[in-house]
Amino acid sequence: MAWEITRTVRVRLDVPDDRKSDLHATNSKFQYCANHTADWAWRYPNEDCVTSKSEAEAAIYDDLREETDYLHANLVQKAIKRATDDISNCVDRLADGENTSKPEYDTFSIVYDKRAATYYRDKVSLATINGRVECAYDLPDNPDDTPHGEYLLNDDYDFATSTVHYDSESDEFYLHAAMERELDVARPEKAEHSRVLGVDCNVDDHIAVTSTGRFVGNADYLNHNRREFEKRRASLQQTGTPRAHLTYHRIGDRFGRWSEDYLHRCSKAVVEEANQQNCSHIAFEDLEQIRDRISDGKKFQQWAFRELQQQTKHKAELAGIVVETVEPSYTSQQCSKCGTTLDENRDEQHFACLDCSYTANADYNAAKNIARKLALKLQRGQKSPAGGAFCQYALKSGVMTVNATEVASDQYVSAERESTDKPTASAVGS
Ligand SMILES: [Zn+2]
């Protein structure tokens, strides 16, 4: 059973000077259609809003085409769809008791599918109010290892419905190309049995620790480089010369690339581990909920965690592995062997259970709890938890299967036979 993945690549378009106004005029008409659809479909609070694209099309498509001097039929349809999709999201928010208002369209953004655009690997031909305009892509000289090389120029990916944007500061147009690929792996959500790899992320010591005892990356090293970079940048800012200003930006870019690359190697190691252990799922803690734990809510560390999770998700997708998050409470205070939860169990990097005397690296203990949490969640989500499919989580000593009793009570029913050896260290950065 195949499934699809999509990647968005941003590429600058080389628009001929004498055709820029055609794109702007096209965007005005696209906005006109989207705004008029929103006006027509938004009926809150007196009536139900219209969220069906076909209902909106039946009612206003002909008028919109006439009013826009026959803007390309597919662009009118896409504008209607954009407004009804947005209103549908608004309706969901209202249902959740959140505040929202009628969507309005005033920024440059046009939706192009394959009927209003022809996509090539080096250029795109776009429908405008004044016939087609052909725009070459501004590609990097060496596209290997860039998103352009990896997706845009890769024949494994096909173009899907994309958007064209305009940056007024630089007076440049950009294509946000949606690249789609069909993967020949079973859709993991549908797998009968699941096996979870738990991953604990940290701001010091190792960046990621898996439930199988693999230690990935060095957070202290990442933070150290960040501090050195900040120091260097601060002194350049004080210098204040134009040359210092240039260097300031250059080292910023370089550090950005370096740290992204570092996290790429870490996420690769996590996915490798999941693959080796035949895992169908990777579990992280929900980032929104661990913010308090990140020292001073530091932006860089939040960025690094988000980046690591995002990159892991992208790489995992290609391997047919699902990344999910679990709610983080007590993952570091609970004993992964007997389930006892005590604040005193954890002392910095050392975990020692006051009840059963189990001792382990604290992050490793947490990773096992994270794995177990997702395995329980998956087991609960099954139609008949008692029969058939089973949910497991991967540990250094083998796999644990969560059973129905455990799911019902969330109690540990069997003590895990786990050695207290130091887990094996792994390759990245340590
Ligand atoms: Zn214990």
Side-chain angles (χ1 to χ4, degrees):
M1 195 184 347
W3 63 315
E4 274 161 17
I5 58 166
T6 307
R7 298 282 179 269
T8 303
V9 182
R10 183 174 189 257
V11 63
R12 193 184 70 78
L13 293 176
D14 209 347
V15 181
D17 279 339
D18 60 341
R19 301 301 308 278
K20 287 182 173 174
S21 57
D22 290 338
L23 277 178
H24 283 294
T26 306
N27 180 60
S28 299
K29 295 198 168 174
F30 188 87
Q31 275 180 10
Y32 175 91
C33 294
N35 280 319
H36 275 255
T37 306
D39 289 342
W40 176 84
W42 184 260
R43 314 208 168 160
Y44 180 79
N46 303 317
E47 287 174 64
D48 286 341
C49 297
V50 179
T51 56
S52 149
K53 175 192 158 230
S54 45
E55 193 183 335
E57 270 185 18
I60 57 175
Y61 169 81
D62 289 335
D63 291 344
L64 288 177
R65 283 214 75 200
E66 228 172 273
E67 286 156 23
T68 54
D69 289 328
Y70 298 92
L71 176 66
H72 191 289
N74 192 254
L75 293 178
V76 176
Q77 287 166 4
K78 286 290 175 288
I80 292 174
K81 182 174 189 308
R82 169 169 281 180
T84 49
D85 283 354
D86 289 344
I87 287 179
S88 173
N89 288 332
C90 291
V91 168
D92 288 346
R93 279 205 293 277
L94 288 170
D96 288 342
E98 288 173 52
N99 241 335
T100 186
S101 57
K102 183 181 81 180
E104 275 172 44
Y105 303 92
D106 53 8
T107 53
F108 192 115
S109 170
I110 315 175
V111 182
Y112 279 100
D113 79 357
K114 284 178 182 164
R115 271 157 294 190
T118 313
Y119 293 102
Y120 304 92
R121 297 289 162 181
D122 57 344
K123 64 181 179 185
V124 61
S125 152
L126 302 168
T128 75
I129 50 127
N130 186 23
R132 291 256 175 165
V133 54
E134 216 166 75
C135 312
Y137 304 144
D138 177 21
L139 294 168
D141 291 338
N142 186 2
D144 290 354
D145 288 331
T146 68
H148 304 93
E150 213 171 325
Y151 310 120
L152 194 71
L153 302 174
N154 182 346
D155 286 335
D156 291 341
Y157 287 84
D158 287 322
F159 287 88
T161 301
S162 303
T163 49
V164 171
H165 299 258
Y166 173 69
D167 177 26
S168 56
E169 254 177 57
S170 59
D171 186 28
E172 301 284 7
F173 295 86
Y174 290 88
L175 175 68
H176 291 194
M179 307 305 297
E180 213 171 58
R181 175 179 184 173
E182 211 170 82
L183 282 177
D184 204 18
V185 289
R187 187 178 274 278
E189 293 96 323
K190 299 268 167 68
E192 197 190 347
H193 307 300
S194 49
R195 181 180 295 177
V196 179
L197 181 77
V199 183
D200 183 56
C201 293
N202 301 286
V203 292
D204 39 38
D205 209 7
H206 295 276
I207 289 174
V209 179
T210 71
S211 56
T212 48
R214 186 160 175 178
F215 282 35
V216 174
N218 184 334
D220 296 331
Y221 179 54
L222 187 66
N223 291 328
H224 168 80
N225 279 9
R226 169 74 182 183
R227 279 192 302 273
E228 291 300 308
F229 157 71
E230 292 288 6
K231 262 192 251 169
R232 174 109 202 274
R233 210 160 67 153
S235 81
L236 284 166
Q237 203 161 24
Q238 274 191 335
T239 314
T241 62
R243 174 186 280 251
H245 184 73
L246 269 181
T247 316
Y248 177 91
H249 285 289
R250 204 173 307 130
I251 65 164
D253 290 347
R254 205 185 305 144
F255 179 77
R257 279 196 302 276
W258 177 84
S259 44
E260 221 167 87
D261 191 56
Y262 190 78
L263 293 170
H264 265 298
R265 279 182 283 152
C266 295
S267 56
K268 201 172 151 202
V270 169
V271 176
E272 256 170 28
E273 180 69 10
N275 247 333
Q276 276 167 17
Q277 307 283 345
N278 288 320
C279 291
S280 57
H281 291 73
I282 295 174
F284 283 109
E285 288 176 306
D286 186 341
L287 282 180
E288 292 302 312
Q289 301 182 55
I290 59 170
R291 220 175 258 161
D292 301 345
R293 214 191 294 164
I294 300 175
S295 56
D296 317 326
K298 274 190 184 146
K299 280 220 170 79
F300 174 65
Q301 290 171 339
Q302 287 181 15
W303 170 83
F305 278 10
R306 232 188 350 259
E307 189 70 21
L308 180 71
Q309 288 200 3
Q310 197 60 36
Q311 289 182 7
T312 302
K313 197 174 171 196
H314 281 171
K315 292 185 175 76
E317 251 181 350
L318 292 171
I321 296 169
V322 178
V323 174
E324 286 201 38
T325 58
V326 296
E327 186 268 321
S329 55
Y330 307 118
T331 49
S332 34
Q333 295 90 12
Q334 186 167 46
C335 172
S336 61
K337 191 173 177 189
C338 74
T340 304
T341 304
L342 287 168
D343 274 345
E344 296 81 3
N345 279 355
R346 180 171 190 164
D347 181 19
E348 304 263 312
Q349 287 308 101
H350 187 67
F351 183 91
C353 179
L354 295 181
D355 200 33
C356 76
S357 309
Y358 171 72
T359 63
N361 171 288
D363 301 329
Y364 174 46
N365 179 67
K368 293 199 280 185
N369 286 329
I370 291 166
R372 182 172 176 275
K373 272 197 180 187
L374 182 60
L376 285 170
K377 190 169 140 188
L378 293 171
Q379 183 82 51
R380 278 191 202 104
Q382 284 183 352
K383 290 211 172 66
S384 54
F390 52 82
C391 295
Q392 298 177 320
Y393 55 110
L395 301 168
K396 198 174 131 205
S397 53
V399 290
M400 285 291 286
T401 304
V402 295
N403 62 43
T405 325
E406 220 180 346
V407 169
S409 63
D410 201 8
Q411 290 301 306
Y412 281 73
V413 291
S414 58
E416 170 195 333
R417 282 186 304 280
E418 174 85 13
S419 73
T420 54
D421 301 346
K422 267 259 150 203
T424 45
S426 102
V428 182
S430 44

